[in-house]
Amino acid sequence: MPLSFTGPAVALSALREALGGGPLALNWVTNAFMLSFGATLMAAGALADLHGRRRVFLMGLGVVLASALAQACLGGQGAIVVFNLLRALQGLGAAAALAGGTAALAQVFDGTARMRAFSGVGTSFGVGLAFGPLLSGWLLGVAGWRGVVLCVAAVALAALVLGLRCMPQSRNPQAQRLDRAGALLFTAALALLTWGVLQGPEAGWSSGAALLPLAGAALALAAFVAVERRVQQRTGQPMLDLSLFRYPRFVGVQLLAGAPAYAFVVLLVLLPVRFIGVEGMAPLQAGQLMFVLSLPMLFVPLLAGWLTRWVSAALLCLAGLLVCAAGLLWLGGCAPGTAFAQMAPPLLLIGLGIGLPWGLMDGLAVSVVPSERAGMATGIFSTVRVAGEGMALALVGAGLAALLAWRLSALAAQAPQAVQAVEAVHATGRAAQLLVTGNITEAMALLPGLSAPAVLAAYGQAFGILLDVLAGITVLTALAVYGFLRAGAPTDTGTGTDMAHA
């Protein structure tokens, strides 16, 4: 799954050259996967309980494999739309595989063995995040974008074969049928919200193309809440148990789930586009920088669990997010063209900081509610985590485009020969969108009279402001998480001496 997420971000420039597509279509390369993955995760968990965890796991892997193979078969300008549809299908398969696989693990293992099994899952995610960009950069240089796509297919095939040979079947005999209305409304709300946010920079935030999807998202969300309350009253088994949000520490965990989205996950997409598309780095060199960012994910989460013997989880989360915010501020001062030795320390600091809460989130998700509601709490946490990452990508991309348009407009105003051309075709907004997707060549063509160093400097200023904003959001989130996790009496379901005292 980390390969499915980070690989296409590294290959985005190559995908644009091979399959075509404007900025909106290229934004959907990542968002299509994240949206379908996050929106269907809870529904996939319900289907796994109802129809069998092994069956849903294997079917999900089959969908991931088939969609990856189909992506590799595409070619020609205009194929990016089909590629994005296949990415959305791949997200559905990933949700089924994750939901079915984790539910099956919970049935096979008990006690400390279960904790070790889930630690293995977390470690595999860390390995994927750490080595995924590096591997994708190497594959991009050796085999092109198809090599990146087929790598996902190879891993999915290996998991499918092992699952067929080794995985026992299990299901929940008390499982109720899927809350279809809730699942459809939740998916519609996320899809419309993402669509509206992506349309805003290109069509204008006051245009119908942006406002109508956003209004539809609000209506779908209100209908979803109403449906879930009615299902709760009738059957007691809604897809989303809204009553859990009465627990302050549960709210804190949901905020914590969203923190890495803005402080870390968005960088996994923005930085490869910047390094390869805008700065012109070789894919392997960009992968090496991304490896520095993700390397701490291999060991810091384990360190965080060990530290809970002496330090409360709330304090560790606060410290980690503040360290991450400091790294974001430091990185914001690194202009395009900064040497590897100067870029690496802030990237490493961000990874070190986010690794502390990352290692505690899953345990906190079940430790802050009564044990009988742990399953629902885990489902909500996973959905908030993944859906939050998808929304963060859309919002941060829109924010970067707005900042770039502002800086380019200011730059164009200082170049007399560029002003007339820019005002004639409203080029700054379009150029900003192209830069967000790493297409500096076409962006420069829309900005006659502006030099490449000046445009790069404007990009660096916009990127720095964006990281300053993300650092501020991270600090506010850290304080809110600390306050919520410290609220109320501890439950008795924690994993470790001080985890329950979060």
Side-chain angles (χ1 to χ4, degrees):
M1 289 169 201
L3 284 173
S4 300
F5 174 64
T6 59
V10 173
L12 194 62
S13 296
L15 286 169
R16 183 188 67 244
E17 295 174 4
L19 306 180
L24 182 61
L26 291 170
N27 279 326
W28 276 106
V29 168
T30 300
N31 280 288
F33 177 86
M34 295 303 296
L35 176 63
S36 61
F37 186 21
T40 58
L41 199 52
M42 279 199 293
L47 290 172
D49 286 341
L50 185 62
H51 297 292
R53 286 108 182 189
R54 179 177 185 268
R55 180 180 301 170
V56 170
F57 174 78
L58 295 176
M59 288 179 63
L61 285 174
V63 170
V64 171
L65 174 61
S67 60
L69 293 174
Q71 289 166 31
C73 294
L74 295 176
Q77 295 295 303
I80 191 68
V81 175
V82 179
F83 185 87
N84 288 341
L85 291 173
L86 290 170
R87 286 281 290 163
L89 184 63
Q90 195 170 41
L92 293 176
L98 180 63
T102 53
L105 275 180
Q107 297 301 311
V108 173
F109 298 100
D110 292 308
T112 57
R114 181 183 295 176
M115 292 178 61
R116 288 196 300 270
F118 278 89
S119 293
V121 174
T123 300
S124 72
F125 268 77
V127 170
L129 288 173
F131 292 98
L134 189 63
L135 176 62
S136 298
W138 178 77
L139 286 170
L140 187 61
V142 172
W145 66 269
R146 287 187 175 87
V148 177
V149 169
L150 290 174
C151 178
V152 174
V155 178
L157 178 61
L160 184 63
V161 171
L162 286 170
L164 283 169
R165 289 177 59 88
C166 307
M167 194 171 181
Q169 182 62 278
S170 66
R171 60 182 295 273
N172 180 6
Q174 281 80 45
Q176 302 291 318
R177 65 184 181 88
L178 177 66
D179 176 13
R180 295 180 182 176
L184 288 173
L185 286 169
F186 185 74
T187 303
L190 278 180
L192 289 170
L193 183 59
T194 304
W195 180 260
V197 170
L198 291 178
Q199 285 283 1
E202 187 163 297
W205 291 102
S206 60
S207 66
L211 290 178
L212 287 176
L214 293 175
L219 290 174
L221 181 60
F224 171 74
V225 171
V227 166
E228 294 306 285
R229 285 177 174 169
R230 187 169 66 248
V231 173
Q232 175 71 46
Q233 293 171 353
R234 292 163 73 187
T235 67
Q237 291 189 331
M239 190 177 82
L240 176 63
D241 187 351
L242 298 172
S243 67
L244 285 174
F245 287 91
R246 297 172 185 169
Y247 296 90
R249 288 178 300 146
F250 180 79
V251 176
V253 170
Q254 308 319 306
L255 289 174
L256 185 61
Y262 292 91
F264 175 75
V265 174
V266 294
L267 299 180
L268 298 176
V269 175
L270 292 181
L271 288 178
V273 172
R274 169 180 165 170
F275 293 152
I276 298 171
V278 177
E279 297 189 35
M281 283 187 190
L284 184 58
Q285 184 183 3
Q288 290 170 343
L289 278 170
M290 297 305 296
F291 177 71
V292 173
L293 173 67
S294 301
L295 177 62
M297 301 302 293
L298 291 176
F299 60 88
V300 176
L302 296 175
L303 175 65
W306 178 70
L307 288 174
T308 55
R309 298 179 181 181
W310 302 280
V311 184
S312 73
L315 188 58
L316 285 172
C317 291
L318 174 66
L321 291 176
L322 292 179
V323 169
C324 183
L328 288 168
L329 288 173
W330 190 357
L331 184 63
C334 297
T338 300
F340 186 99
Q342 281 73 50
M343 288 286 290
L347 290 172
L348 186 63
L349 192 64
I350 293 169
L352 288 170
I354 207 64
L356 287 174
W358 194 287
L360 303 176
M361 290 190 297
D362 293 284
L364 284 170
V366 297
S367 71
V368 297
V369 297
S371 57
E372 65 272 12
R373 311 183 82 174
M376 176 64 72
T378 302
I380 295 174
F381 168 78
S382 299
T383 299
V384 170
R385 189 179 190 173
V386 178
E389 290 168 358
M391 282 311 308
L393 286 170
L395 289 169
V396 170
L400 180 58
L403 289 169
L404 274 169
W406 168 56
R407 294 307 305 156
L408 290 174
S409 296
L411 189 64
Q414 301 171 10
Q417 70 239 49
V419 172
Q420 184 176 1
V422 169
E423 290 178 347
V425 297
H426 304 286
T428 53
R430 176 68 177 173
Q433 285 287 296
L434 290 167
L435 283 171
V436 169
T437 57
N439 192 348
I440 192 171
T441 303
E442 290 188 28
M444 291 298 303
L446 291 173
L447 301 169
L450 299 184
S451 66
V455 171
L456 276 176
Y459 179 91
Q461 292 166 359
F463 206 94
I465 295 171
L466 176 69
L467 292 186
D468 291 345
V469 172
L470 295 181
I473 294 173
T474 303
V475 170
L476 293 176
T477 304
L479 296 174
V481 166
Y482 181 75
F484 276 112
L485 290 182
R486 296 288 296 178
T491 66
D492 60 354
T493 56
T495 56
T497 303
D498 286 293
M499 180 69 79
H501 295 276

